Amino acid sequence: MRVGLVLLIAVIATTIASKKLASHHANAEQRILLVVTSHEDLGTSGKKTGYYLPEAAHPHHVFTNAGLKVDYASPKGGKSPLDPYSVQDYKDDKISVDFLNNASVQKQLSNTIKISDVNPNKYSAIFFVGGHGPMYDLPTDVAVQQLTRTFYESNKIVAAVCHGPAGLLNVRLSNGKNLIDGKRVAGYTNGEEEEGGTTSQMPFSLEDTLKRNGGLYTKVDNWQPHVVRDGNLFTGQNPASATGLAKIIVSALKKH
Ligand SMILES: *[C@@H]1O[C@H](CO)[C@@H](O)[C@H](O)[C@H]1NC(C)=O
């Protein structure tokens, strides 16, 4: 009888503890996994795409300044394509230029870890970088879905910016529900897709699909920063949201 009571209390205590964000011991090295795309063609336009430079560069800057280590993974592994338009758009942005000139970072991006080879135990958070590439390869990638579920169900941070939430669309949890179902989320808007002239090349609308799959989607004016947190799910609307998103992740990790 008494043993049963002690066990019950232990189970309740464990359940409460597991509701907190999981992270490593304070003085252990914390690592963040940035997921980038393996896809380089912008539909049938003949134009190239890939990951969007500042959406990797700005988080990398915030994370490394906070003493966190950053690794890169992609569906196919190996070299991840960089959106050439993002290089042009951010040619006057020092953080993006420094990122492009950082030899150790570029070596990592030329040799990304294949998603199916990632050991989730090494990381405190998974962060999906945007760009148009992720719209093609992330939503249907089973290894992406499984890895994201593992992070989420271990109470680790799952984050995505701009088109990065494409990687969250079809993640099913152990309870059979879609990860984003009933969760507050942000992501690239139909208006931004229109203004950027890319609507006709997209395989689907990110905004519409986030809503259709149950996401409680909010947005602000085109290109303005917008970051949303729902428990251990963190999302941002567009390139301007990448820094703010990384900062709330750092402060969530530092609370432990
Ligand atoms: C380049 O990136 C590495 C790895 O993230 C980082 O440790 C280093 O500080 C960066 N170097 C510069 C000059 O920013």
Side-chain angles (χ1 to χ4, degrees):
M1 185 60 197
R2 200 183 287 171
V3 172
L5 185 63
V6 170
L7 264 178
L8 180 65
I9 291 168
V11 168
I12 292 169
T14 310
T15 309
I16 292 169
S18 73
K19 293 279 182 237
K20 290 196 206 156
L21 282 179
S23 68
H24 297 287
H25 192 260
N27 56 19
E29 178 182 82
Q30 293 204 54
R31 306 187 84 88
I32 313 277
L33 187 69
L34 256 59
V35 177
V36 287
T37 185
S38 299
H39 186 93
E40 65 174 355
D41 294 314
L42 186 68
T44 55
S45 66
K47 292 177 180 163
K48 291 297 180 194
T49 186
Y51 74 88
Y52 202 75
L53 176 59
E55 296 172 13
H58 294 171
H60 170 266
H61 182 73
V62 172
F63 292 144
T64 53
N65 275 349
L68 305 169
K69 296 272 184 266
V70 179
D71 287 339
Y72 299 85
S74 68
K76 290 186 181 163
K79 187 169 174 60
S80 173
L82 170 60
D83 179 337
Y85 301 96
S86 67
V87 178
Q88 186 61 26
D89 294 345
Y90 282 79
K91 65 181 189 324
D92 298 323
D93 177 55
K94 184 175 186 315
I95 293 170
S96 293
V97 173
D98 286 350
F99 182 83
L100 280 180
N101 291 332
N102 185 319
S104 76
V105 168
Q106 293 310 314
K107 192 174 168 202
Q108 285 181 293
L109 281 162
S110 298
N111 192 23
T112 62
I113 307 162
K114 193 174 177 185
I115 291 283
S116 55
D117 292 338
V118 168
N119 173 5
N121 297 330
K122 285 174 67 178
Y123 301 99
S124 304
I126 187 169
F127 183 110
F128 289 92
V129 174
H132 286 103
M135 291 289 281
Y136 301 90
D137 65 347
L138 293 190
T140 53
D141 192 288
V142 173
V144 164
Q145 293 164 14
Q146 286 170 346
L147 186 65
T148 307
R149 179 174 71 184
T150 299
F151 271 83
Y152 190 76
E153 295 190 339
S154 314
N155 289 307
K156 291 179 177 179
I157 291 172
V158 172
V161 67
C162 197
H163 290 92
L168 309 176
L169 289 172
N170 299 313
V171 176
R172 283 226 174 258
L173 302 178
S174 303
N175 65 10
K177 279 183 73 174
N178 202 306
L179 165 60
I180 61 171
D181 190 2
K183 308 275 172 33
R184 292 185 298 278
V185 290
Y188 206 60
T189 70
N190 289 340
E192 286 164 335
E193 209 77 80
E194 275 301 318
E195 204 179 322
T198 41
T199 305
S200 65
Q201 294 301 334
M202 289 299 102
F204 60 91
S205 149
L206 182 61
E207 175 178 337
D208 293 354
T209 313
L210 284 166
K211 289 177 186 164
R212 190 175 320 118
N213 292 8
L216 308 176
Y217 178 88
T218 56
K219 62 181 172 181
V220 298
D221 288 349
N222 290 359
W223 322 118
Q224 298 305 306
H226 181 49
V227 173
V228 173
R229 177 181 180 180
D230 191 326
N232 54 328
L233 180 63
F234 295 64
T235 47
Q237 179 173 317
N238 48 27
S241 309
T243 295
L245 183 60
K247 283 182 174 169
I248 64 164
I249 291 168
V250 167
S251 64
L253 288 173
K254 298 275 156 169
K255 290 213 177 85
H256 293 271

